Amino acid sequence: MTEASGAMDKRLAESIELRDFLRRAGTLTLADRRVLVGQALVLIEQNYVHLPLKVAMHAVNPVQRLRLLALRLGRQSDDTMDPEWRFHAELSQIFLSLRDLHTNYLLPEPFSGRIAYLPYQIEEYYEGEERHYVVARVVAGHNAQGFGPGVEVTHWNGVPIDRAVDINAFRFAGSNPAAAHARGLESLTIRPLRIHVPPDEDWVVLGYVGADGISRELRERWRVAENLPPFVDADELTTAAVAQGLDLGTDEIGRAVKLLYVPEAITLTEATDAAGLTSEPAEPGAAVPTSMPSVFRARSVATGSGTFGHIRVFTFNVQDPDGFVREFVRLIGLLPQNGLIVDVRGNGGGHIHASEFTLQTLTPRPITPEPAQFITTPLNVRICAQHEQNPTGQIDLGPWCPSMNQALETGAVYSGGFSITPADGANVLGQQYHGPVVLVTDARCYSATDIFAAGFQDHQIGPVLGVDDNTGAGGANVWTHALLKLLLELPEPAPETPYRELPGGANMRVAIRRSLRVHDRAGTPVEDLGVAPDERHRMTRRDVLQDNADLLEHAGRLLAALPARRLEVEVAASGGELTLRTHLLDRADVYLDGRPRASVDLTQETVTVPVPGAGAAHTIRVEGFQDGALAAARTIVR
């Protein structure tokens, strides 16, 4: 037994029924509740970048609701205060009214780090325009008559299942109808208690039709277990925390799915060292081993349109974005080079650098990282001023300071826009894959994944194939209350900080900088608008139960209709010439350390180009053209 699988067995073995777990809850005092509401007011009123947008788009007034809650708490005593579950529910609902998965109330102990779950997972598919629900996975060891993967779900506690999903969706945040529906479905059977209030019911009665055609009901109690930990501590002052763009709920559910159903993908630490793994290209239908199984799954897939590469990116939530990109490049280099399916369904985001660094590997065009803006409140001005010169070496807010200070005079709502991702890091490697690329998205793609999908579309890398009408539409950098408090304490504590220690291990998160799209959609916010796919695919029963069979066929047809180019560069031992191996290119330009050195018409697919000084150059870049348009590039850094 591996350390990871042992950890899984221990967590599930120690799970308890929800009703027993809730007996341990209820330790907040009235003073604790007043602190929590006061700190929520600080974050929403003085830090929250989307407040004007949310008030206008969703007709909500979270500031007034928090003030009213504070007023009621002021009138209560320790003897007359509401039950704790009601307080958690009301404060959570105020945050949820924003329909922003970045901006959350995170419940205190004992909820933190726990999940409530049922021993099965439900997914949806379509037959024509009619939506169906099916059990996709069952926890190992669970047995019930006629029950298992593939049974059709008809009712949830007596409510028709489609209506039950919509009712559940109404309870949780979602920036658009597709996102709300996706959250309603995924939270039917897994609920991270740090971010979701516990289920109201002790058990669920599921109506289903078995493989034998007989309608039955299954009653299962909610159980509570400790979830797998994240790789990134968002409360510490690190680049990963400062550059975080993450839907915490989807990230928690993703880790819970591994815990419950895919234990072989569990890794307890983030590893990027691929030494010892195969360097052989994948055979048709075969997977490529990865050092990061919690992050990637790479394989060659055979479709009716050809054999292509397929890489799932489960999360961008890593500490080391450079290591993330290295492993991504290694994996796609071992997949078929005539077409690649990049599949980010269910990816809740993570490190914004990792998402935007990856784009360069798929296109010859320079990457323009998305600009981000603060809302220009006096508190945000203070935070930026404290880190204008990057005194900690972890966060440089200097670029935003002039526009933030000017806004106090001009009345501008937002600061100037500057990228969170360094532009040099987003372009240091250049294109690594020269075949066509299709991106597959769904409504659970959020935050850094929204930014990745927007960049993919804005840089015209390839078609976006969506299984939903939109992505999750989360366009922001998110900071925790603990991180904001720390930023005003470093390098020296600021006088009269508004941030107070939160009681009981509670926390909060807030969207602090909003992201804007680039190029043809320049200035368009990602928040609430998301990334609409270029083409839509409705999931089928074969997709749900046979590893996305029809979805991959659809993606294969898109790839087969696109040109598969080739551009390989070899530097001669003498250093004075380059050998170029190309396909579907008619011209190549050569740059040494950023300066043009040669241009050659490609009359055959293998040519040798004299380039004096190539051996001494630090960076060699070859750009390939077809009919005058940049179509491929190769960068060699030595």
Side-chain angles (χ1 to χ4, degrees):
M1 179 183 294
T2 66
E3 180 184 2
S5 61
M8 179 208 70
D9 289 343
K10 182 174 184 293
R11 284 176 166 84
L12 294 186
E14 294 178 352
S15 68
I16 60 175
E17 290 187 6
L18 174 65
R19 62 180 182 177
D20 296 327
F21 171 81
L22 291 178
R23 293 192 182 104
R24 301 160 44 191
T27 60
L28 291 182
T29 66
L30 181 59
D32 291 338
R33 301 180 189 190
R34 290 170 177 167
V35 169
L36 287 168
V37 173
Q39 292 300 286
L41 262 171
V42 172
L43 263 64
I44 300 299
E45 193 170 24
Q46 301 184 51
N47 294 127
Y48 184 39
V49 70
H50 297 314
L51 184 59
L53 172 70
K54 298 297 185 177
V55 169
M57 183 167 279
H58 303 303
V60 295
N61 192 341
V63 172
Q64 179 64 8
R65 288 185 66 180
L66 287 168
R67 287 172 179 161
L68 290 173
L69 180 55
L71 181 65
R72 289 203 303 275
L73 290 174
R75 293 170 176 168
Q76 293 176 359
S77 67
D78 290 333
D79 295 328
T80 63
M81 65 181 182
D82 293 332
E84 186 169 311
W85 68 264
R86 187 175 297 165
F87 170 78
H88 289 316
E90 184 164 6
L91 187 53
S92 294
Q93 188 54 49
I94 292 172
F95 277 83
L96 288 170
S97 72
L98 297 166
R99 302 188 190 181
D100 183 352
L101 301 174
H102 284 131
T103 303
N104 322 104
Y105 167 50
L106 307 184
L107 275 66
E109 294 290 348
F111 304 98
S112 178
R114 292 342 190 257
I115 55 165
Y117 71 94
L118 296 168
Y120 48 82
Q121 189 175 22
I122 298 172
E123 296 187 18
E124 67 181 14
Y125 69 92
Y126 285 83
E127 287 184 355
E129 295 298 314
E130 186 177 357
R131 190 154 47 195
H132 295 259
Y133 296 85
V134 65
V135 171
R137 295 185 177 109
V138 175
V139 170
H142 180 272
N143 292 298
Q145 184 180 10
F147 187 80
V151 303
E152 191 91 5
V153 178
T154 60
H155 290 81
W156 180 271
N157 284 337
V159 179
I161 183 64
D162 200 41
R163 185 178 175 190
V165 171
D166 288 341
I167 292 171
N168 202 44
F170 185 75
R171 299 177 57 191
F172 301 112
S175 295
N176 56 58
H181 179 84
R183 269 73 187 177
L185 177 58
E186 72 178 356
S187 60
L188 274 181
T189 58
I190 301 177
R191 297 189 191 171
L193 297 182
R194 183 145 176 77
I195 201 167
H196 288 206
V197 293
D200 294 321
E201 65 276 1
D202 286 340
W203 62 79
V204 167
V205 177
L206 189 75
Y208 67 94
V209 178
D212 53 10
I214 298 175
S215 296
R216 296 184 176 90
E217 290 186 342
L218 175 68
R219 172 171 154 162
E220 289 288 348
R221 290 186 176 274
W222 285 97
R223 297 190 67 83
V224 175
E226 182 182 359
N227 200 7
L228 296 170
F231 290 142
V232 177
D233 185 344
D235 296 336
E236 293 183 348
L237 183 54
T238 63
T239 303
V242 168
Q244 187 166 88
L246 180 71
D247 167 13
L248 183 60
T250 293
D251 189 66
E252 290 265 3
I253 288 175
R255 284 183 270 119
V257 167
K258 292 181 178 66
L259 175 71
L260 296 170
Y261 305 109
V262 200
E264 64 272 16
I266 294 175
T267 52
L268 299 181
T269 58
E270 179 183 327
T272 60
D273 184 6
L277 295 180
T278 182
S279 59
E280 294 297 318
E283 296 292 331
V288 180
T290 174
S291 62
M292 305 173 73
S294 291
V295 177
F296 298 115
R297 179 193 178 201
R299 56 179 177 151
S300 168
V301 293
T303 75
S305 302
T307 300
F308 303 106
H310 176 233
I311 183 165
R312 283 297 295 264
V313 184
F314 297 111
T315 183
F316 290 108
N317 198 25
V318 297
Q319 286 280 5
D320 180 5
D322 294 317
F324 175 98
V325 175
R326 282 195 304 272
E327 180 63 358
F328 180 84
V329 168
R330 187 188 74 85
L331 291 172
I332 63 175
L334 298 177
L335 295 176
Q337 298 299 294
N338 60 314
L340 178 66
I341 304 162
V342 178
D343 190 342
V344 293
R345 288 174 299 151
N347 185 331
H351 203 312
I352 294 173
H353 293 186
S355 71
E356 294 197 292
F357 282 0
T358 304
L359 291 170
Q360 65 185 302
T361 67
L362 304 173
T363 178
R365 299 176 181 86
I367 297 300
T368 302
E370 288 192 354
Q373 298 174 306
F374 286 96
I375 194 167
T376 54
T377 64
L379 180 54
N380 284 343
V381 170
R382 285 181 62 191
I383 293 170
C384 287
Q386 188 129 341
H387 294 273
E388 183 173 8
Q389 302 300 325
N390 193 14
T392 64
Q394 296 289 341
I395 177 170
D396 180 8
L397 299 180
W400 287 270
C401 286
S403 60
M404 295 283 281
N405 294 328
Q406 188 180 57
L408 297 178
E409 298 177 296
T410 65
V413 175
Y414 295 105
S415 70
F418 302 91
S419 65
I420 295 170
T421 299
D424 54 352
N427 292 284
V428 66
L429 293 177
Q431 187 177 18
Q432 302 291 313
Y433 191 89
H434 295 86
V437 185
V438 168
L439 179 66
V440 181
T441 63
D442 68 2
R444 294 175 297 156
C445 296
Y446 203 78
S447 200
T449 311
D450 260 312
I451 292 171
F452 177 81
F456 187 96
Q457 196 172 65
D458 292 345
H459 290 88
Q460 300 177 5
I461 294 173
V464 178
L465 178 62
V467 303
D468 292 307
D469 291 332
N470 209 328
T471 57
N477 171 212
V478 58
W479 291 351
T480 67
H481 175 277
L483 180 60
L484 285 162
K485 182 175 180 293
L486 188 60
L487 288 173
L488 279 187
E489 294 173 350
L490 296 173
E492 295 179 359
E496 300 179 7
T497 174
Y499 301 113
R500 303 288 181 265
E501 194 75 30
L502 298 183
N507 207 341
M508 298 173 189
R509 305 191 325 146
V510 66
I512 190 74
R513 291 182 281 191
R514 71 172 190 168
S515 59
L516 305 175
R517 298 186 68 168
V518 298
H519 296 313
D520 291 348
R521 300 172 181 83
T524 303
V526 176
E527 184 70 22
D528 280 340
L529 300 178
V531 179
D534 302 306
E535 191 158 330
R536 175 72 197 276
H537 174 84
R538 291 194 182 277
M539 294 289 283
T540 67
R541 186 178 177 89
R542 283 210 325 145
D543 284 327
V544 174
L545 299 176
Q546 297 180 36
D547 207 6
N548 303 295
D550 291 328
L551 172 61
L552 294 175
E553 287 289 343
H554 193 157
R557 290 193 296 271
L558 294 177
L559 289 172
L562 297 170
R565 295 187 172 86
R566 179 188 184 195
L567 176 55
E568 297 177 4
V569 180
E570 181 180 338
V571 183
S574 63
E577 60 184 24
L578 304 178
T579 298
L580 309 183
R581 297 178 179 87
T582 68
H583 183 61
L584 296 181
L585 300 172
D586 56 30
R587 191 185 96 218
D589 293 348
V590 180
Y591 297 81
L592 302 184
D593 295 327
R595 302 180 65 182
R597 281 293 183 266
S599 183
V600 59
D601 290 331
L602 301 173
T603 57
Q604 52 190 16
E605 293 194 342
T606 300
V607 299
T608 299
V609 185
V611 186
H618 175 67
T619 301
I620 300 171
R621 178 174 171 84
V622 179
E623 295 184 348
F625 295 81
Q626 185 177 38
D627 298 329
L630 180 63
R634 178 75 72 177
T635 302
I636 300 174
V637 180
R638 300 188 300 175

